[in-house]
Each structure stands twice: as structure tokens, then as C-alpha cells.
Amino acid sequence: QVSGILNVNGGTTNLQVASILNVGRNVKGCQIGLINIADSIGGASIGLINIVRNGYNRVEFSGSEVLYFNAELKLGSRGFYNIFHAGYRPLNQKEGYYAFGYGFGTFIRTKNKRLSHNLEILATQIIDIDRPADLGGQSSKKLNLLNQFRWTIDCRIGRQTSLFIGPTFNLMVSKLVDQTTNEYALDILPYTFIDEVTKGADPIYLAGWVGFNAGIRF
């Protein structure tokens, strides 16, 4: 099924391609569109929002060296799923950093039925909205994007429950300047092996490091 806007199939189809919406019952191949909905899929649903009733649908809670508290919703198929992310890191009783992100991932089985891998790409905007600007607070309108490539090992401990841990490869891209120190970067970065500011009229701060991510998945 190929159309400019919408595909709907209540039976079995091999492929659905539409610019806006695909709705299928039993899709043997792939769905490609802005929004994809299916009961089951043999390949992958590739789009901005993917909802597969019998697919890879997970909720997880995790921690990392940058954001101590994270919650994520993962929707789609094992071959390709969307990630909706929210995170928080407290600085003290009144101040903290909030984060909201979006990404994609793929689930890889292993010969061991309890172990699997997840490869993911995630972009997260980190916002400091508690402190006023004259005290070092940051505007939520400026670019302050944490880009991550994550590889985690998933260990199933129950029918629908698993623990996971793995490294993250991080690149912070930021236009924020601390008003108290007149310097780039946040005070939550652990360390950096990339630490530079681009040249030009509108400079951008780049910081790179290797971190970790660990948590529980349902």
C-alpha cells in the first residue's frame, strides 16, 4: 500500500508507505510514515510516532552521570522504536535541571534468552528554569542539547521486567553562557575530552565525554 496521505488495512499487508498515517492489522514487512499504527509487524515501523500493539512497548526508569532521574517511554517494534524522554537533576532544595528528549532505538536479541542489547540515539534539551538569569540561570529558549549514542545490555529478571546498564557517548551542543562567570558549559558536566568553542559571530560550545546509563525496564 502506497499513498500520499493515508493507508488503512484491516487484514494482512506486506508494506505500507504514506506521508502522514499508516494503520494496519498484520504487517509482514514495514510501515513508513509520520505516524504508524499496527497490531503486529514483522519488520519495522519507521516514523515519528510508532504504535504496535504486540511490539516493543516499554517504560523505564534510569540514572546517569548527568541526569540522576530519568523516565522514558519506548514505543514501536524491536527493529525500530521511538523514545520519549524526561529527566531531572537537583542542584539543591530549590534549584535543578530539567530535560526533555526524543530518539530512536533498536532491540537486538542474543542466543541467551535473558540477555539482549539496545542501541539508541537520543537528543535531549536540558533546561535550568529555577534560577534567575542574573544568578546564573539559563534560558530555556537557547540551544542546550545533549546528544547521546547509547549501548545497553538488558538482563531479563521477570516476564516483563529487566535491568540494564551500558556506556553512553555524549556530545553537548550549547549556546548558553553562565551570567555569573561569563563562561560556556553547565556545572553538571562530569569531564570532557572534547572541550571547544566554535569560531564566528554566533559561537557554539561543544563538549564530549563517555558516561553510563543504568536502570530498570518494564
Side-chain angles (χ1 to χ4, degrees), residues 55-99:
Y56 187 80
N57 304 307
R58 298 290 186 271
V59 174
E60 68 180 45
F61 302 96
S62 65
S64 70
E65 79 286 350
V66 175
L67 297 168
Y68 296 161
F69 306 102
N70 299 282
E72 291 185 355
L73 175 65
K74 300 182 177 182
L75 300 174
S77 63
R78 290 181 176 86
F80 185 93
Y81 56 83
N82 306 110
I83 304 171
F84 301 91
H85 172 93
Y88 177 68
R89 171 170 171 169
L91 292 180
N92 52 49
Q93 292 183 350
K94 296 182 179 181
E95 302 170 0
Y97 289 99
Y98 299 86

Side-chain angles (χ1 to χ4, degrees), residues 28 41 62 69 86 109 116 121 124 127 147 149 166 177 185 195:
K28 291 185 176 181
I41 190 163
S62 65
F69 306 102
R109 294 183 181 273
S116 58
I121 296 174
T124 303
I127 307 166
N147 302 281
F149 173 75
V177 178
D195 190 347

Side-chain angles (χ1 to χ4, degrees), residues 120-133:
E120 299 172 342
I121 296 174
L122 182 69
T124 303
Q125 175 74 3
I126 298 180
I127 307 166
D128 176 4
I129 62 174
D130 292 321
R131 288 181 290 176

Side-chain angles (χ1 to χ4, degrees), residues 152-204:
T152 57
I153 299 175
D154 183 291
C155 179
R156 187 161 56 90
I157 59 174
R159 185 175 180 181
Q160 299 292 340
T161 306
S162 60
L163 301 176
F164 64 90
I165 189 170
T168 61
F169 303 89
N170 304 275
L171 178 65
M172 174 68 77
V173 181
S174 179
K175 290 185 177 181
L176 295 181
V177 178
D178 192 309
Q179 301 300 314
T180 59
T181 63
N182 201 32
E183 295 181 350
Y184 284 89
L186 295 170
D187 49 5
I188 60 175
L189 300 184
Y191 71 95
T192 58
F193 60 81
I194 298 175
D195 190 347
E196 62 181 59
V197 178
T198 62
K199 298 180 180 179
D202 190 20
I204 298 175

Side-chain angles (χ1 to χ4, degrees), residues 7-11 13 16 22-27 31 37-40:
N7 288 314
V8 177
N9 192 306
T13 185
Q16 288 185 316
N22 292 303
V23 179
R25 185 176 181 182
N26 179 25
V27 182
Q31 290 179 312
I37 301 172
D39 280 353
S40 63

